[in-house]
Amino acid sequence: MPSSDNAVLEVIQLTKVFRDFWGRESVKALDSLDFDVRRGEVFGLLGPNGSGKTTAVRIVLGLLFPTKGAVRVFGRSPHDIEVKKRVGYMPEESHLYAYLNAEETLDFFGRLFRLAPRERRSRTAALIEMVGLQRARRRPVGQYSKGMARRIGLAQSLINDPDLVILDEPTTGLDPIGSREIKDLVLALKDMGKTVFLCSHLLADVEEVCDRICILYGGRQRALGPVEDLLVADDVTQIRAPHLADSAVQRIVDIIRESAPADVPVEVSAASRRLEDYFLSVVEEARRERLVTAGAEPGTAAAAFLGGAEEQAEQVLAELVQAAEEAAWAPTAPEEQPAEALPVRQDKEFLEDLVRSSTAGRPEQQPAEAAPAAPETSTRDDVLQELIVEGPADDEADEDDTA
Amino acid sequence: MKTTLLNAWRWSIRRLPEAMLVLLVLALLPGLVLVVLEVRAVAARFISGPSTLWRATVQDPWPAAGFLVCLVGVGLATFLLWRNWPFVWATGRKLIVEALHRKIVLVLLVFFVVMMLLLPFVLKTEGSQMSRVQLVLLYSLVLAMVLLSLVAIFLSAASICSEIESKQVHITDTKPMRRWQFLLGKWFGTVVLCSSVMFVMTAAVGGVVLYLARPPKVAHLQPREAAAILDNHRRLWEQVLVARREFLPVLPPDLDAKVAREIEEQQETGTWPKEPMMRRRRTRDLRKALIAERWTVPLGRARGWEFRGLRPDQEGNLQVRFKAFSTRPNAALRGRWLVLQRKQVKDEDGKMVSRPVVVHAVLAPPEGWFSQVRRSIDVPGQFVGDDGTLLLSYENLSVIGDAVFDPDNLVEVLQSQGPFLPNYYRALLVLFCYVGLLSALGLMAGSLFSFPVASLTVVFIVIVGLVGPWFVSFLSPNYEVPLPLWRDMLKSAWRAFCHAVLTVMPHFGKYNPLGQLSDGMMVTWRLVLTSGAVMLFVKGGLALLVGAYFYSRRELARVIVR
């Protein structure tokens, strides 16, 4: 029952039935779907293939019409032009114009938002840099790999600096680096106060970035709520610590045995790194060796114009560099983000957060022993290094491309 | 070097849409100037004699109606394009860039150039300069229009269908652009692309035609041969590369009274049909029969024709066209055409009276005139009276048989009203309306159907539009025996339906200016205005509205389950 005053998107008893040529009911894609997405949160729509996620997204976007129920975006119909001005959408597959290059593609979509030519150019450049396609910016999109096409698909969804970003399977087709960057970007967008509505069947992705989720099965809503609430296991306690001696482990097990029934199993094992973390560390090492790739390069942080404080970008950038140096690259405790909606913050704060998060990582995801090669840290470090020496490096890239 | 060329090519591709838009605007500007001049001329006529203009407007309201519709249409189109320019040009520009990348324009131009080069080998002319120029002019323009029509249909239909099928529209539709704005942009892009290419092609055709029509070099020829070639060159500029208007003879004043009398007689005898369409046909036949009777020239006698409204004091020749045959089968007509002028002469009593006097005569060729085709003679333009009247008479000098002049092809006088280039330009304006209409039809079909169905639908509409007027002639009832009431009603309803469908269909043949252009006839502003009003603004606008209606209500991401 969507009722929050803070709701950006309201889905009310949404039902969608597809009919065949003769009007007979063929597929009931959605059945009484009911949820809302609140301002500033990352909301995930989860479900196996064919559960109705994409259908729900398409109805939210006005590409399909509901059979029953209603959808309100910013309190209006999804077909409202004022609504569309505030929404960015990245579809499941990047259905872009194959003969246009990245610049022309973003320029085209920028024109549809009636952006001034100068604004279009600056946003296009910023977004292309953000998604790491500087070298391929003049190549027709039809020649892009799937991952590169996804990146430009993401860039076009942000050209209007949207308040609501709708991402349909955002990490599909992306390599782990691209996938990581998308997830970082989603978090960055959230920090800017934007609302993100994403649907995916990749549970790990959703778990990492979403505040609340809704799980669909067969077009019906099976679960809805904050991720922490839904995933908490009340009957299990988890302890994570640096490598301990066998004797210390044995003492801990003994303590646990004293307070737990004898028949309850207690497991102690060495923590293992996630494959994603390991992969990212290998790629990072290759990058440090300056191996050339024809594909996408590492993207940068969210483009400065997102959040509407572009004019302060230069100043913020200078402060960011200073803050980065002062932070001494030491891990600090992550800040707890309130589960409720966040107010829009200044870029300075966001970028300072970015620095902190880049150095701190996320404790529940990064085991202590993996700290030196933690891919998130490395990616962020890379961004900051690039920001510090950005001028010459960028010029060089441009010259290469022109040549 | 290669990189520089590649960069230059990319740069030009990126700038070509704007270049095409500028080209189209520049190409349409002379039209605006000509329209303003025409309006000024009409306004001057109105000031000098309002009643004359009013009478002319009442007799033929189409030019005025066409002008008003065009004025409103141009105003509306300008307003819509102006208000929605960012969307319209973004969408249209993207369509043009894609078409350029797909090499559609390049292939079109190459194919056109190849066909132009092959034309002299394909076309069989009688060898004269006039026939060569006439055929090159006609077939080049027909070829250009066929190619452009196909491109306009397929490009517009494909631009919608492919975006829906490849789901690109899923992104575009989520942007703050209304669907009708999207369609308008597609239409505008197609029109800019096809029209700019059309103006380039037709400029090339015009250049080739003027090159072929240059004065022949006859210094090395025998005088007689040189004279024939120079005469052919003169006739080329008098009869092909010119804008002529046809003048029909003044009908007998008692014609309508005679027709009415005939009808009364038939009503009295009970042979007058009851069905309205049959009545109209019978009246037409009676009228034709009386005209044929009026201008049947018995053996050894003469009949006269009077033409009014010609321009006096014109140099060069007038062309008189006629189609006549002998009442004797396979007999050639032998006779002579006499040109008369009213002059003050003394009558038998010595009084000065105004009488027609023969001032010029044209004899039939030695073999005579046969009836299969329309014949023509040249008459010096100086014989047109000061009041714009031309008097002609035919004297039947055959050995046997009367001369009957075809009532379906009345004797007509063709007189030059202006030079070739403005006429050529007016014809291009009509072709521009074609492109606009075909693009609108393609978009309408594309917004309703998938690509193959959409393109076939438009091709079907074009075919029906071409054969429609011919098909209409079969709709009138041809039964003399009265039918039962229900069958009569059924047939009437069916005829009304067919009439309505054929009226809505675009009549491409009716507004085709190419035949007139290659025949040296004037492409009148009446034709330009009516084709602009009917084809571009009314039918094209209707097609776009229908397309926008269905496209706005279409579920673009619908899963089709069959």
Side-chain angles (χ1 to χ4, degrees):
Chain A
M1 299 40 37
S3 56
S4 169
D5 294 338
N6 212 13
V8 166
L9 169 65
E10 296 166 272
V11 174
I12 307 156
Q13 290 295 311
L14 186 64
T15 301
K16 178 66 186 176
V17 176
F18 288 110
R19 298 184 186 280
D20 64 9
F21 182 79
W22 308 106
R24 295 172 302 190
E25 183 173 322
S26 149
V27 178
K28 195 166 195 173
L30 292 174
D31 190 1
S32 305
L33 196 59
D34 208 65
F35 64 85
D36 64 351
V37 179
R38 296 166 197 160
R39 195 177 304 278
E41 76 173 353
V42 180
F43 186 93
L45 196 58
L46 279 165
N49 291 335
S51 58
K53 303 186 296 293
T54 300
T55 301
V57 167
R58 286 173 177 175
I59 293 175
V60 165
L61 290 161
L63 294 168
L64 289 173
F65 306 143
T67 308
K68 279 184 196 166
V71 171
R72 313 288 292 169
V73 186
F74 296 111
R76 298 178 180 207
S77 158
H79 300 280
D80 196 308
I81 292 299
E82 293 304 316
V83 167
K84 291 184 176 185
K85 284 180 184 170
R86 299 173 66 187
V87 174
Y89 168 56
M90 180 169 92
E92 187 177 356
E93 284 176 39
S94 297
H95 312 294
L96 295 163
Y97 300 108
Y99 291 96
L100 303 186
N101 62 33
E103 285 181 338
E104 288 168 339
T105 301
L106 295 184
D107 183 75
F108 168 66
F109 289 114
R111 282 170 190 263
L112 299 187
F113 285 99
R114 306 186 89 147
L115 297 179
R118 178 178 284 187
E119 183 75 2
R120 280 205 309 270
R121 278 197 294 275
S122 67
R123 288 192 181 192
T124 296
L127 285 170
I128 286 176
E129 189 183 356
M130 189 189 89
V131 297
L133 290 173
Q134 299 99 309
R135 284 180 189 277
R137 67 184 191 274
R138 299 233 171 107
R139 207 192 299 168
V141 171
Q143 293 177 4
Y144 279 9
S145 68
K146 191 174 179 185
M148 292 164 80
R150 298 290 290 156
R151 284 163 185 262
I152 198 68
L154 175 69
Q156 65 78 26
S157 71
L158 299 174
I159 189 81
N160 58 324
D161 186 15
D163 294 326
L164 170 62
V165 184
I166 299 176
L167 307 172
D168 193 356
E169 307 283 3
T171 54
T172 303
L174 289 174
D175 58 22
I177 307 158
S179 179
R180 180 71 261 161
E181 283 171 3
I182 295 274
K183 286 184 274 186
D184 286 346
L185 181 78
V186 168
L187 293 171
L189 291 171
K190 179 192 165 187
D191 285 347
M192 288 173 181
K194 297 187 187 303
T195 311
V196 180
F197 175 53
L198 62 88
C199 71
S200 177
H201 58 261
L202 301 176
L203 306 182
D205 293 353
V206 174
E207 185 186 349
E208 273 187 61
V209 297
C210 286
D211 298 315
R212 292 196 307 134
I213 57 171
C214 173
I215 299 176
L216 299 183
Y217 186 84
R220 284 176 174 271
Q221 185 174 308
R222 307 295 298 181
L224 173 68
V227 178
E228 293 84 2
D229 293 358
L230 294 176
L231 298 187
V232 69
D234 293 329
D235 53 347
V236 178
T237 303
Q238 186 179 0
I239 299 171
R240 295 183 76 89
H243 180 72
L244 299 174
D246 289 348
S247 58
V249 171
Q250 189 53 51
R251 281 207 300 279
I252 291 169
V253 171
D254 292 343
I255 292 168
I256 294 170
R257 291 247 177 257
E258 284 172 14
S259 57
D263 56 336
V264 172
V266 177
E267 288 178 18
V268 178
S269 60
S272 63
R273 294 163 67 182
R274 291 186 310 154
L275 180 59
E276 182 190 358
D277 297 339
Y278 178 69
F279 177 85
L280 290 174
S281 69
V282 170
V283 172
E284 184 55 32
E285 193 177 333
R287 278 191 184 144
R288 274 202 290 270
E289 291 170 17
R290 298 195 175 280
L291 295 180
V292 177
T293 172
E297 295 168 279
T300 62
F305 73 85
L306 295 172
E310 194 175 8
E311 65 280 357
Q312 298 173 10
E314 289 293 323
Q315 190 189 342
V316 171
L317 198 62
E319 290 174 8
L320 168 66
V321 173
Q322 196 183 346
E325 286 168 351
E326 287 171 5
W329 310 96
T332 56
E335 280 190 0
E336 282 292 322
Q337 295 291 347
E340 292 302 315
L342 293 171
V344 178
R345 291 186 297 171
Q346 294 297 315
D347 268 6
K348 184 179 169 184
E349 286 177 63
F350 155 61
L351 289 168
E352 283 174 355
D353 278 354
L354 196 63
V355 175
R356 256 181 255 128
S357 65
S358 71
T359 52
R362 310 184 92 205
E364 70 277 15
Q365 296 161 9
Q366 289 190 314
E369 60 270 28
E376 276 187 48
T377 310
S378 307
T379 309
R380 297 291 189 174
D381 289 352
D382 192 37
V383 170
L384 291 169
Q385 294 281 13
E386 280 186 19
L387 287 172
I388 293 165
V389 290
E390 190 173 10
D394 200 30
D395 291 346
E396 198 176 299
D398 276 353
E399 280 168 20
D400 287 349
D401 188 64
T402 313
Chain B
M1 183 64 182
K2 191 180 169 188
T3 313
T4 312
L5 287 175
L6 201 64
N7 283 341
W9 166 250
R10 283 175 181 164
W11 185 89
S12 59
I13 286 281
R14 279 204 296 275
R15 296 292 176 275
L16 258 179
E18 279 78 14
M20 285 180 160
L21 181 63
V22 171
L23 177 67
L24 177 62
V25 171
L26 289 178
L28 290 177
L29 269 182
L32 191 67
V33 174
L34 289 174
V35 167
V36 170
L37 290 176
E38 193 69 17
V39 168
R40 273 186 61 186
V42 172
R45 275 171 54 202
F46 179 74
I47 291 165
S48 61
S51 58
T52 316
L53 188 66
W54 178 249
R55 232 182 356 260
T57 308
V58 170
Q59 275 177 0
D60 183 11
W62 280 107
F67 177 72
L68 284 178
V69 173
C70 284
L71 199 66
V72 172
V74 168
L76 194 64
T78 309
F79 175 76
L80 282 175
L81 293 177
W82 181 263
R83 285 296 302 270
N84 304 288
W85 183 248
F87 306 122
V88 169
W89 185 235
T91 315
R93 190 182 186 284
K94 194 218 42 120
L95 181 140
I96 295 170
V97 169
E98 279 199 327
L100 291 172
H101 276 293
R102 286 173 197 260
K103 316 275 189 303
I104 290 174
V105 176
L106 192 67
V107 169
L108 185 68
L109 288 175
V110 168
F111 189 67
F112 180 70
V113 169
V114 169
M115 290 302 286
M116 282 281 285
L117 292 173
L118 288 176
L119 270 183
F121 302 101
V122 176
L123 300 177
K124 297 292 176 200
T125 68
E126 62 185 49
S128 68
Q129 188 186 27
M130 189 169 90
S131 62
R132 193 166 60 240
V133 168
Q134 204 167 11
L135 283 176
V136 166
L137 178 64
L138 178 64
Y139 287 105
S140 302
L141 290 179
V142 167
L143 176 68
M145 271 323 289
V146 168
L147 291 176
L148 283 168
S149 301
L150 291 175
V151 169
I153 292 169
F154 290 115
L155 190 64
S156 54
S159 71
I160 293 288
C161 299
S162 67
E163 287 218 12
I164 294 173
E165 282 161 21
S166 59
K167 299 180 182 176
Q168 288 155 342
V169 81
H170 289 194
I171 298 180
T172 318
D173 196 63
T174 59
K175 308 302 179 203
M177 174 173 59
R178 291 185 173 84
R179 291 185 182 178
W180 65 264
Q181 290 172 325
F182 181 67
L183 273 194
L184 187 65
K186 292 277 183 194
W187 176 80
F188 188 70
T190 313
V191 168
V192 169
L193 180 79
C194 293
S195 306
S196 52
V197 173
M198 181 193 83
F199 280 113
V200 169
M201 282 178 169
T202 48
V205 172
V208 169
V209 163
L210 292 180
Y211 174 77
L212 291 176
R214 69 193 185 284
K217 291 175 183 168
V218 292
H220 61 289
L221 298 175
Q222 295 291 327
R224 197 171 166 182
E225 199 179 351
I229 289 175
L230 287 174
D231 182 59
N232 186 264
H233 178 71
R234 178 189 59 76
R235 285 176 56 215
L236 165 67
W237 284 94
E238 279 183 357
Q239 295 178 12
V240 178
L241 300 182
V242 68
R244 297 181 300 171
R245 193 186 141 195
E246 60 179 14
F247 292 87
L248 295 175
V250 179
L251 294 174
D254 58 344
L255 183 67
D256 292 335
K258 281 186 176 175
V259 171
R261 256 201 315 277
E262 285 282 344
I263 291 171
E264 274 175 27
E265 280 177 18
Q266 291 196 9
Q267 283 171 338
E268 282 168 13
T269 54
T271 53
W272 183 244
K274 290 176 182 172
E275 158 66 41
M277 287 181 80
M278 286 299 295
R279 287 179 180 178
R280 280 199 292 275
R281 185 190 281 184
R282 182 72 62 86
T283 308
R284 201 169 56 236
D285 291 345
L286 282 173
R287 198 177 169 81
K288 275 189 199 172
L290 288 169
I291 288 172
E293 185 186 322
R294 166 69 180 79
W295 278 311
T296 296
V297 188
L299 197 60
R301 302 284 297 274
R303 285 272 189 272
W305 287 260
E306 183 180 353
F307 300 88
R308 290 178 190 163
L310 282 86
R311 285 184 177 181
D313 306 327
Q314 197 173 52
E315 290 183 358
N317 288 328
L318 307 173
Q319 193 182 14
V320 178
R321 286 205 295 210
F322 61 95
K323 189 174 183 186
F325 50 89
S326 172
T327 49
R328 293 290 174 143
N330 300 324
L333 287 175
R334 292 175 202 283
R336 63 176 181 176
W337 282 96
L338 303 172
V339 183
L340 304 106
Q341 271 190 325
R342 286 186 201 283
K343 291 195 174 170
Q344 295 290 327
V345 292
K346 283 185 182 173
D347 66 355
E348 294 80 11
D349 303 331
K351 289 180 184 174
M352 295 299 286
V353 289
S354 173
R355 277 191 182 162
V357 177
V358 176
V359 290
H360 185 74
V362 180
L363 274 173
E367 70 275 14
W369 286 306
F370 285 93
S371 60
Q372 283 82 0
V373 291
R374 291 179 95 178
R375 298 281 169 181
S376 68
I377 58 166
D378 289 350
V379 172
Q382 66 195 49
F383 296 128
V384 176
D386 293 338
D387 58 349
T389 305
L390 179 72
L391 299 174
L392 289 177
S393 175
Y394 180 76
E395 197 174 357
N396 188 358
L397 302 177
S398 300
V399 180
I400 189 167
D402 298 342
V404 179
F405 285 83
D406 185 1
D408 286 327
N409 294 285
L410 290 176
V411 178
E412 61 185 15
V413 173
L414 307 177
Q415 187 185 38
S416 169
Q417 304 290 307
F420 169 70
L421 283 179
N423 204 39
Y424 188 61
Y425 183 75
R426 283 191 293 271
L428 298 190
L429 289 181
V430 178
L431 299 184
F432 172 74
C433 299
Y434 266 66
V435 169
L437 174 59
L438 289 172
S439 305
L441 288 173
L443 287 175
M444 181 192 75
S447 61
L448 283 166
F449 309 115
S450 62
F451 177 67
V453 182
S455 44
L456 280 176
T457 304
V458 181
V459 170
F460 173 75
I461 289 173
V462 171
I463 291 172
V464 172
L466 285 171
V467 302
W470 171 75
F471 190 72
V472 165
S473 63
F474 294 100
L475 286 177
S476 52
N478 53 1
Y479 46 88
E480 294 286 351
V481 184
L483 290 173
L485 182 65
W486 67 271
R487 272 189 68 188
D488 194 31
M489 285 176 66
L490 206 63
K491 288 208 169 204
S492 298
W494 173 242
R495 274 198 300 275
F497 172 75
C498 289
H499 254 297
V501 169
L502 292 170
T503 305
V504 172
M505 290 284 166
H507 290 177
F508 293 100
K510 188 174 173 183
Y511 300 105
N512 184 3
L514 298 184
Q516 285 158 290
L517 188 73
S518 62
D519 204 19
M521 298 303 292
M522 189 174 188
V523 179
T524 56
W525 280 111
R526 182 185 190 280
L527 180 71
V528 176
L529 291 173
T530 49
S531 60
V534 176
M535 286 208 298
L536 188 59
F537 292 114
V538 175
K539 292 186 178 174
L542 190 69
L544 275 181
L545 280 176
V546 171
Y549 176 83
F550 285 106
Y551 188 66
S552 302
R553 279 153 185 77
R554 185 167 175 178
E555 287 191 302
L556 295 177
R558 183 169 169 72
V559 180
I560 309 259
V561 183
R562 291 191 174 88

